[in-house]
Amino acid sequence: MCNLYRMTKNKDEVAAWFDVMNELGGANFGEEVYPGYPGAVVAEGKLKQMSWGFPLVMKGKSGQPLKPKPVNNARTDKLDSFFWRYSFEERRCLIPVTAWAEAEGPKGGKTRSWLSRPDAELFACAGVWRNSDEWGECYSMVMTDAAGLAAEVHTRMPVLLAKDDWSTWTGGSPEDARALCKPWEGELELDRTKVPWSGKGQVGLL
């Protein structure tokens, strides 16, 4: 499950890579993206800024509304649920990524393990997006079963999309898009580091 990823290319490089209009303007992003933070997304033929995570509104013991929780990962087997259905059917996007991280190690001593594609310095993860009252436009990454090196660090991984499948994911039928929700069959690279794992904000998977 991805709760941290890198996007180290600048916005002009990303727009050129995906051959889309750059609407980021003066937006600046950190190279590491955490749930609840802004990220760059390719949607509707444009490179746009959105918040990572759909807001899930929680209530306290007395019924008072709590701070929304960003649900930043959507399970492929839950895409027909009310929370995801309309976004999956009508608003699919590409998430530019250079690597994603998983936490490995004992509780209290977890470290960052980074996964990437050795054949592509920038690649696309499958995503869905919508407009929200809480955070404006927001997106979530679609997760599937892990395979290959990714299965050594977690049971799930992002849906990685080959370039030939980008247009099918963003503009094809829901049935054709669902067929792309499978483990990546290409080569992956795993970089196990000694950097302590530290997440920012709340995270979620539905």
Side-chain angles (χ1 to χ4, degrees), residues 37-94:
Y37 283 61
V41 177
V42 176
E44 301 181 314
K46 304 169 185 175
L47 183 64
K48 309 170 72 173
Q49 175 180 318
M50 297 186 189
S51 294
W52 187 21
F54 282 20
L56 179 64
V57 180
M58 311 291 286
K59 291 186 177 181
K61 293 181 179 179
S62 301
Q64 76 277 18
L66 302 176
K67 183 179 179 181
K69 173 184 179 181
V71 184
N72 53 291
N73 291 315
R75 286 171 42 172
T76 53
D77 59 333
K78 298 293 185 180
L79 291 174
D80 289 329
S81 68
F82 179 78
F83 194 83
W84 302 116
R85 177 183 173 186
Y86 296 104
S87 295
F88 172 67
E89 291 181 352
E90 303 171 9
R91 294 178 298 275
R92 298 186 296 272
C93 62
L94 304 175

Side-chain angles (χ1 to χ4, degrees), residues 136-181:
E137 291 182 336
C138 54
Y139 66 100
S140 185
M141 194 175 287
V142 178
M143 310 299 290
T144 188
D145 293 334
L149 285 177
E152 293 186 14
V153 296
H154 204 281
T155 57
R156 296 186 184 275
M157 67 179 294
V159 172
L160 309 186
L161 298 170
K163 187 173 182 179
D164 290 345
D165 293 326
W166 292 353
S167 60
T168 300
W169 178 258
T170 57
S173 68
E175 292 75 18
D176 289 341
R178 191 183 300 277
L180 299 176
C181 295

Side-chain angles (χ1 to χ4, degrees), residues 6 11-13 17 43 46 56 69 87 92 95 106 123 136 138 156 160 174 180 191 193 195:
R6 283 178 178 155
K11 53 196 173 186
D12 292 328
E13 287 179 291
W17 188 278
K46 304 169 185 175
L56 179 64
K69 173 184 179 181
S87 295
R92 298 186 296 272
I95 305 170
F123 54 92
C138 54
R156 296 186 184 275
L160 309 186
L180 299 176
D191 178 22
T193 75
V195 178

